[in-house]
Amino acid sequence: MKSPVMLAAALLLASAAPVLAQTQATATAPASPRPAPKLIVAISVDQFSADLFAQYRNHFTGGMARLLNGAVFPSGYQSHAATETCPGHSTILTGYRPAHTGIIANNWIDQSVGLEDKVVYCAEDTSVPGSTHTKYTVTDRTLKVPTLGERMKAANPASRVVSVAGKDRAAVMMGGHKVDELWWWDGKTYSSFAGRAVPPVVQRTRDTVAALIARPQTALPLPNWCKPLDRAITVNNVTLGQGRFEREAGDATAFRASPAADAAVLAMAAGLVQDMKLGKGPAPDLIAIGLSATDYIGHSRGTQGTEMCIQMDQLDQALAGFFEVLDQSGVDYEVMLTADHGAHDMTERQVERAMPMETHVSPELQAKTVGAAIAQQMKLEGPVLLGAESDIYVDRNLPQPVRARVLAEAKRRYSAMPQVAAALTRDEIAATPWPTTPPETWTLAERARSSFDPERSGDLLILLKPRVTTIEKPGPGYVETHGSPWDYDRRVPILFWRKGMTPFEQPLSVETVDIVPTLGATIGLKTPGVDGRCLDLDPGPADTCAK
C-alpha cells in the first residue's frame, strides 16, 4: 500500500515524463537573466498556526526546509477578528482585509434572501432555488475585490491563473473571479463550476484517489521525533492522540482528514503546471494551492498528538516532491506559503498541560437562548435574535424602536456574561478608526473593524475571552477549533522562496494582506488600493519593492 507521499510521486511521474524529457534535453542551455519569476506558486496550509510552525520547524527536512532558506516571517498575522477559513483565504491573494473583501465569516445571516435558510455560506450562490448554507452551489460572487491573478490578467491577458484546493472556499477565495482552472474536493471527488471541461490530469487524480479510498489504509510510520507526543487522551468517549491514519475501505471522510488529501492536491497542481505549461508563456502565471488536511486533522484530533506530528512530516515530504517536479520543469518560480488562520489544541489536553483556565463556551451564549429571554422580558414573539459565528442579528421585522431596545438589552446581557470579552455593536465597530499600528497592538474593536462589512456583519459582535473555545461539547470529528480574535488564532507564518535569493528572517509582525503587494512587486505589477504593504525580500541594500 502506497503512503500519501508515494501516491503523490506516482501521480506526479504519470504526468511528468514529457516534461522531464524536455528538461533533460535542454539542461545544458545557458541560463538567461530573470528579471521576474515566470510562475508564482501561492500555497495556503489551512490552520498552520505560527505556533505549529515554530514547534516543527527544526524537524523539517523536505519542502518546508527549503522554504526556511528564503524570506521567513514567522509572525505573520491574519490581523482581523474573524479568524476562520473563508475570511483568511480572502486576504491571502487579494491584499485586502475582510472588511473590504466582504468575507466576514464562513457563514453570515442575510434576512433579505428569498430562501428559508437565512444563513449564507461564504461561497454560496443564494440565487439558486432551495439553496442552504450546507447544500449550495459554489460561487465567486461573494468576493467583493479582485485577486492577484485577476490583476495579472488585467495587466496581460496572456497570464494564466489556476486554483486548486481541498476546500471550495479556499480555491474560490484565492483564485477569484477569472481563473483558467479551478478545482476543489467536494467530499466525493474534485469539482469545479458547472460546464467546465475536466482536464486529463484532474480526471487522472479523480480516478487515482477513488481507487485509493476504495482500499483500506494501513498505519503510517511514526517518526522518532513524534514519539514524545504518543499519548492517548479521551474526549467525550473518543480516544485520540495516538492515531496513525488507518482508514477503512470507502471512508472518504477519513481520507479528507489525512496526509493523503494534501498529497493528492499537490499532485494535481503539479500536473496542471505541466499540462498547461505554466511559467513558459509570454506573461507570468499563478497557481494557488489550498492544502486543507491540517485543518481537518486539527479539528478532529487536535494539534498535539501523533496525528498532527505525522501530518507535519508527510506535508513536508509532499511539498518536497512537488518542488522537485517544478525544479525539473526548468521554470523560474517563486513560492509563497502561509495559512488562513491559526488555532490551538483541544480544551481537554490543554487542561492536562498546565492550562486549567481552558474551557468550553456555555450554551447560555447562544443567540436563540439570549433572544428567547429578551422576547419573554419584552413580551415579543418570534426569535428576536439570529446568530451565525460570532455575529448576532436583530430580527429586521421588528419596528425600529423595538429593534434598538432589543439590541441594547442583548449588549447588556452579553457584556455581563463571564466568558465574554467584548460585545460590540455595529455602530461602535463602524466608528472605530482603521488600525495603523502593528497588528499585535490592536484593540479588540480594531480587530473587529478589520472584519466589519456593513452589508453583511451583524448588529452585535460577541468576542469570547482567551482560551474559551466556541465548541460547547466536543465529539467525533470536532474537538478543537479557531475563530477567536486572539493571537493564537491570528498568527501564521509567511514564507517566500525563490532560487538564488538570499535567506533572512524577520521576527517582527507583518500581515497576510502584505503578500499581494510583495508578490506583485517581484513581477513588476503595481497593486494600488490594497490594505497591505510591500515587504522587501532582499535583506541587503537592494529593494525588491522598488521595481
Side-chain angles (χ1 to χ4, degrees):
M1 182 64 194
K2 290 178 179 177
S3 72
V5 173
M6 291 175 66
L7 165 68
L11 278 167
L12 294 171
L13 291 175
S15 61
V19 176
L20 289 173
Q22 178 183 1
T23 303
Q24 291 165 358
T26 59
T28 57
S32 57
R34 297 179 298 139
K38 294 291 292 180
L39 175 64
I40 291 176
V41 181
I43 303 172
S44 170
V45 178
D46 201 321
Q47 205 187 118
F48 188 41
S49 67
D51 293 332
L52 203 59
F53 170 69
Q55 180 177 355
Y56 287 102
R57 62 181 294 173
N58 291 336
H59 296 292
F60 292 134
T61 60
M64 292 297 298
R66 180 189 294 217
L67 298 181
L68 284 167
N69 284 307
V72 178
F73 297 89
S75 191
Y77 273 79
Q78 290 281 3
S79 50
H80 49 272
T83 50
E84 296 181 326
T85 300
C86 215
H89 278 104
S90 80
T91 72
I92 292 171
L93 287 182
T94 66
Y96 291 100
R97 297 171 185 145
H100 292 144
T101 69
I103 309 300
I104 64 161
N106 285 345
N107 300 281
W108 58 80
I109 299 288
D110 186 347
Q111 300 182 65
S112 69
V113 296
L115 297 168
E116 182 177 351
D117 183 12
K118 303 300 183 183
V119 180
V120 177
Y121 173 60
C122 62
E124 175 187 352
D125 186 350
T126 56
S127 68
V128 176
S131 179
T132 74
H133 71 287
T134 57
K135 288 189 175 182
Y136 52 85
T137 298
V138 177
T139 184
D140 55 29
R141 291 199 293 269
T142 53
L143 182 64
K144 293 184 174 183
V145 295
T147 60
L148 177 61
E150 291 177 67
R151 290 177 184 267
M152 291 167 63
K153 280 183 170 291
N156 190 332
S159 287
R160 276 87 52 78
V161 176
V162 173
S163 186
V164 295
K167 295 181 181 178
D168 53 37
R169 53 190 179 270
V172 169
M173 297 302 153
M174 291 201 295
H177 310 92
K178 296 180 180 179
V179 290
D180 295 275
E181 294 292 348
L182 187 143
W183 296 89
W184 64 83
W185 179 254
D186 68 1
K188 297 179 180 179
T189 191
Y190 294 97
S191 295
S192 188
F193 297 127
R196 282 184 174 265
V198 181
V201 69
V202 174
Q203 188 58 52
R204 188 160 58 245
T205 308
R206 283 176 166 182
D207 295 341
T208 303
V209 170
L212 179 71
I213 293 173
R215 300 190 298 269
Q217 169 68 57
T218 56
L220 297 181
L222 184 70
N224 286 333
W225 43 271
C226 292
K227 290 181 179 178
L229 300 175
D230 190 9
R231 296 182 61 186
I233 183 168
T234 301
V235 183
N236 197 18
N237 298 319
V238 177
T239 299
L240 304 168
Q242 296 181 307
R244 306 288 194 275
F245 296 103
E246 301 94 332
R247 185 175 67 242
E248 295 182 359
D251 193 342
T253 300
F255 164 79
R256 181 184 71 172
S258 77
D262 285 346
V265 169
L266 285 167
M268 182 167 59
L272 287 165
V273 169
Q274 294 167 337
D275 289 2
M276 296 176 67
K277 296 181 172 57
L278 296 182
K280 296 187 176 183
D285 299 322
L286 180 147
I287 183 165
I289 304 170
L291 303 178
S292 306
T294 301
D295 185 67
Y296 288 126
I297 293 165
H299 283 305
S300 60
R301 297 170 174 90
T303 64
Q304 295 302 310
T306 58
E307 301 93 345
M308 187 60 77
C309 195
I310 292 172
Q311 163 65 3
M312 290 292 100
D313 178 58
Q314 294 277 309
L315 174 64
D316 183 39
Q317 295 181 50
L319 285 169
F322 174 66
F323 294 149
E324 286 170 9
V325 172
L326 295 185
D327 292 341
Q328 293 165 349
S329 74
V331 169
D332 178 11
Y333 66 97
E334 178 178 31
V335 180
M336 184 287 304
L337 184 144
T338 190
D340 53 340
H341 53 73
H344 74 309
D345 200 26
M346 66 179 77
T347 299
E348 288 70 20
R349 193 155 45 204
Q350 294 280 48
V351 169
E352 287 187 359
R353 296 185 175 184
M355 291 292 127
M357 69 290 292
E358 290 275 343
T359 186
H360 294 279
V361 69
S362 170
E364 295 178 358
L365 273 74
Q366 289 186 8
K368 63 181 180 181
T369 302
V370 176
I374 294 174
Q376 183 179 23
Q377 173 186 324
M378 296 185 177
K379 296 182 172 52
L380 301 171
E381 294 184 2
V384 296
L385 298 181
L386 298 87
E389 316 298 345
S390 298
D391 282 282
I392 305 295
Y393 300 74
V394 179
D395 185 355
R396 71 171 189 168
N397 293 318
L398 296 172
Q400 180 55 41
V402 177
R403 293 183 75 243
R405 288 170 50 212
V406 168
L407 178 59
E409 179 61 17
K411 177 179 172 65
R412 186 192 70 78
R413 287 174 177 262
Y414 275 111
S415 297
M417 292 180 176
Q419 291 184 327
V420 173
L424 304 171
T425 68
R426 63 185 294 114
D427 288 345
E428 290 172 331
I429 298 171
T432 301
W434 195 247
T436 58
T437 59
E440 69 272 21
T441 69
W442 293 3
T443 65
L444 288 179
E446 288 174 323
R447 300 175 195 197
R449 178 67 183 86
S450 294
S451 299
F452 178 75
D453 179 332
E455 294 181 356
R456 294 173 177 169
S457 292
D459 297 301
L460 187 67
L461 180 69
I462 306 304
L463 300 177
L464 301 180
K465 289 181 178 178
R467 300 186 176 93
V468 178
T469 179
T470 55
I471 297 175
E472 292 182 13
K473 184 178 181 181
Y478 195 51
V479 298
E480 169 260 90
T481 193
H482 45 84
S484 82
W486 308 110
D487 282 3
Y488 49 75
D489 285 347
R490 297 170 77 216
R491 290 180 62 247
V492 297
I494 303 177
L495 314 174
F496 297 90
W497 180 90
R498 187 182 178 193
K499 185 178 179 181
M501 74 182 297
T502 302
F504 74 95
E505 182 159 340
Q506 171 53 266
L508 298 180
S509 61
V510 296
E511 297 184 63
T512 54
V513 292
D514 298 334
I515 292 168
V516 161
T518 302
L519 293 175
T522 66
I523 58 173
L525 178 69
K526 296 186 182 301
T527 55
V530 298
D531 294 328
R533 65 180 181 89
C534 181
L535 304 175
D536 178 9
L537 300 184
D538 188 307
D543 187 352
T544 59
C545 296
K547 292 183 178 180

